[in-house]
Amino acid sequence: MFKKYAIKKYGDSLPTKLKERYGEQEFYSARQIRATVFQCNFNPTYLPLAYLLFLDKTALLVTLKNEYPELSVQQYKEEIKDYLAQRKYYGCLEILRGK
């Protein structure tokens, strides 16, 4: 289901791109995240991962409910964490362990 390269790119490059485009912030808006994913050639299949990493909890729930109503946030997060554990990769995605 997940491709290691695409996920690594989200973990390694997306934080830098968001910071370059919008300055350093604790959280970014869904619009900023979406624009960066599409304009900077990230695989849009994993846009929910970007939301999970960079939206505050309230915005995350609202955005995912509107854009991905069939997606279970907790199940998606667990699938990614399991995939990363199997591949022995966390990098910048270490944040998922604490969320």
Side-chain angles (χ1 to χ4, degrees):
M1 179 178 178
F2 299 110
K3 294 187 179 179
K4 185 177 179 181
Y5 174 77
I7 291 174
K8 278 184 73 170
K9 186 174 178 183
Y10 270 76
D12 294 339
S13 301
L14 187 56
T16 303
K17 288 291 185 188
L18 287 166
K19 184 177 175 181
E20 287 172 2
R21 292 168 60 105
Y22 304 107
E24 183 146 1
Q25 300 177 36
E26 184 176 1
F27 299 107
Y28 294 90
S29 71
R31 178 177 286 165
Q32 291 170 325
I33 295 166
R34 191 179 318 103
T36 302
V37 165
F38 283 96
Q39 293 171 5
C40 296
N41 297 317
F42 287 85
N43 184 338
T45 301
Y46 305 105
L47 182 57
L49 173 59
Y51 290 153
L52 187 64
L53 293 170
F54 300 107
L55 282 175
D56 69 72
K57 189 172 185 165
T58 303
L60 172 67
L61 296 175
V62 170
T63 301
L64 290 178
K65 183 179 178 183
N66 289 333
E67 293 184 26
Y68 299 94
E70 74 288 346
L71 183 71
S72 164
V73 176
Q74 191 59 39
Q75 182 180 353
Y76 184 77
K77 181 178 151 185
E78 290 302 319
E79 287 175 14
I80 291 172
K81 286 170 49 176
D82 290 346
Y83 178 82
L84 295 172
Q86 290 172 4
R87 299 288 190 252
K88 296 179 176 38
Y89 171 78
Y90 277 97
C92 292
L93 299 176
E94 182 69 33
I95 191 171
L96 289 175
R97 287 183 165 182
K99 282 194 168 188

